[in-house]
């Protein structure tokens, strides 16, 4: 059992310090992943917090594999759910409401480089985007990504290659690469 | 092996090539400095995609209510004690005593209406299972 799972067991026994350690170790990266999928910091923070609680209340029967990898699968599913929910709210009677204001995601990005990176990722279609996010920000292997997305393994590998190539080209055009 | 194209190096980096090709590419990169340099450049550029790092506030998530840390250690012992006590108490309530001790406690004077009459008052002071 990894150290993180050991902290998790202590948290389940009531050790709040162990709980806080897990939040500090993994909360930020998981929020970053959820932010890229949902586009909303508030939603990302909420669902990551809910994911921690869900894991606490319904732990896996075996503490195998990485703690963050397991938790990020919960975060990913919740992120997709939130994305679908917010998409349905933004349309009224089938009419998409288009805002001219900066998106919540754009508002929190202060660094130009981050803005360029996010723009390149967001330019991808959902399937390619999710594969890239799960790989680079969820830290998942291709087998896990295939299972999470419901896409065959070979297709996942093709998608990650295409996604990375497109994003690199966009960043190069904007002068962010060598 | 010919010098691999950038796309091939990217596939190698992303680990989307099969094991045979992976081994050949590794062997080539170990022996070819220019290709190694190209690979490292592609690696740096690809790493940029994972470097999105906004300034995020710390996550606040209240820990759900759980069993106290020490309590869990002794919960089995406590449960056993409670169960044992409950069983013992319950048995004592329903068990029929095998012997009752009855003693005469005092000789009470009757009321003036019954002058001259003496009454013996007995009370049960001990009811125990022997």
């Amino acid at each position: 059992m990894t150290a993180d799972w050991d902290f998790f067991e202590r948290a389940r026994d009531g050790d709040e310090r162990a709980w806080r350690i897990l939040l500090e170790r993994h909360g930020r990266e998981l929020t970053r992943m959820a932010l890229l999928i949902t586009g909303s910091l508030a939603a990302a923070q909420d669902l990551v917090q809910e994911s921690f609680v869900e894991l606490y209340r319904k732990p896996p029967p075996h503490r195998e594999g990485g703690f963050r990898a397991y938790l990020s699968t919960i975060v990913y599913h919740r992120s997709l759910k939130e994305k679908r929910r917010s998409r349905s709210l933004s349309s009224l009677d089938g009419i998409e409401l288009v805002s001219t204001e900066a998106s919540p995601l754009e508002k929190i990005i202060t660094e130009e480089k981050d803005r360029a990176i996010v723009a390149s990722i967001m330019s991808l279609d959902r399937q390619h985007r999710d594969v890239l996010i799960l790989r680079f920000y969820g830290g998942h292997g291709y087998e896990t990504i295939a299972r999470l997305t419901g896409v065959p393994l070979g297709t996942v590998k093709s998608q990650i290659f295409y996604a990375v190539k497109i994003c690199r080209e966009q960043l190069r055009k904007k002068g962010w690469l060598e | 092996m010919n010098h691999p194209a950038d796309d091939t190096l990217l596939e190698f980096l992303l680990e989307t090539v099969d094991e045979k090709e992976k081994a050949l590419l590794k062997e080539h990169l170990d022996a070819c400095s220019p290709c190694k340099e190209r690979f490292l450049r592609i690696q740096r550029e690809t790493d940029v995609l994972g470097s999105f790092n906004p300034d995020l506030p710390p996550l606040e998530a209240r820990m759900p209510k759980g069993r106290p840390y020490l309590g869990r250690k002794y919960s089995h012992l406590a449960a056993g004690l409670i169960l044992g006590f409950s069983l013992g108490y319950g048995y004592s309530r329903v068990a029929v005593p095998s012997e009752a001790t009855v003693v005469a406690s005092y000789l009470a004077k009757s009321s003036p209406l019954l002058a001259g009459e003496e009454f013996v008052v007995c009370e049960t002071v001990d009811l125990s299972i022997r």
Side-chain angles (χ1 to χ4, degrees), chain B residues 9-68:
Chain B
L9 291 177
L10 177 58
E11 286 180 320
F12 175 68
L13 173 67
L14 294 174
E15 297 180 310
T16 57
V17 293
D18 60 42
E19 288 301 315
K20 185 180 172 186
E21 191 168 0
K22 186 177 173 182
L24 288 171
L25 284 165
K26 187 178 183 310
E27 190 181 337
H28 180 85
L29 291 177
D30 285 344
C32 179
S33 296
C35 287
K36 185 70 179 281
E37 283 303 313
R38 275 195 301 129
F39 172 76
L40 290 174
R41 175 181 56 80
I42 291 170
Q43 187 176 52
R44 287 192 298 270
E45 291 176 359
T46 304
D47 286 347
V48 170
L49 294 180
S51 68
F52 168 58
N53 195 21
D55 189 18
L56 299 176
L59 197 62
E60 299 281 344
R62 181 168 290 186
M63 193 178 79
K65 294 288 182 188
R67 285 167 293 184

Side-chain angles (χ1 to χ4, degrees), chain A residues 10-11 13-16 19 23 27-28 31-32 36 41 45 48-49 52-53 56-57 113-114 117-118 121 135-137 142 157 160-161 164-165 167-168 171-172 177-178, chain B residues 6-8 10-11 13-17 40-42 44-70 72:
Chain A
R10 292 175 65 89
D13 284 338
D15 188 348
E16 292 210 20
W19 176 258
L23 288 178
R28 184 184 165 77
T31 303
R32 195 173 55 160
L36 284 169
L41 177 58
Q45 287 186 310
V48 170
Q49 289 165 11
F52 269 94
V53 173
Y56 181 97
R57 292 213 166 108
K113 188 175 182 182
D114 279 348
I117 294 168
V118 170
I121 295 173
R135 178 70 175 174
F136 281 78
Y137 292 92
Y142 295 128
K157 291 182 178 180
I160 191 68
F161 172 80
V164 169
K165 189 172 176 183
C167 288
R168 278 177 62 229
L171 288 171
R172 183 175 292 109
L177 299 183
E178 298 167 29
Chain B
D6 279 6
D7 279 359
T8 305
L10 177 58
E11 286 180 320
L13 173 67
L14 294 174
E15 297 180 310
T16 57
V17 293
L40 290 174
R41 175 181 56 80
I42 291 170
R44 287 192 298 270
E45 291 176 359
T46 304
D47 286 347
V48 170
L49 294 180
S51 68
F52 168 58
N53 195 21
D55 189 18
L56 299 176
L59 197 62
E60 299 281 344
R62 181 168 290 186
M63 193 178 79
K65 294 288 182 188
R67 285 167 293 184
Y69 181 64
L70 287 176
R72 186 175 183 187

Side-chain angles (χ1 to χ4, degrees), chain A residues 74-172:
Chain A
I74 302 176
V75 170
Y76 176 67
H77 287 302
R78 283 181 173 266
S79 298
L80 289 186
K81 209 172 171 179
E82 170 60 27
K83 186 71 181 172
R84 282 194 292 269
R85 188 193 70 84
S86 65
R87 194 178 292 132
S88 69
L89 287 176
S90 69
S91 68
L92 184 66
D93 291 331
I95 301 170
E96 288 287 335
L97 300 178
V98 180
S99 172
T100 56
E101 294 180 357
S103 70
L105 182 55
E106 288 168 346
K107 284 178 186 173
I108 69 160
I109 300 174
T110 55
E111 298 290 330
E112 281 303 314
K113 188 175 182 182
D114 279 348
R115 200 179 297 277
I117 294 168
V118 170
S120 70
I121 295 173
M122 292 301 143
S123 73
L124 300 168
D125 62 56
R126 191 178 80 76
Q127 280 199 344
H128 288 90
R129 185 169 66 236
D130 279 7
V131 167
L132 188 146
I133 291 171
L134 285 169
R135 178 70 175 174
F136 281 78
Y137 292 92
H140 292 293
Y142 295 128
E143 288 82 5
T144 303
I145 294 173
R147 184 171 49 80
L148 287 172
T149 58
V151 170
L153 179 61
T155 306
V156 167
K157 291 182 178 180
S158 298
Q159 287 176 337
I160 191 68
F161 172 80
Y162 175 83
V164 169
K165 189 172 176 183
I166 294 298
C167 288
R168 278 177 62 229
E169 283 174 10
Q170 291 197 6
L171 288 171
R172 183 175 292 109

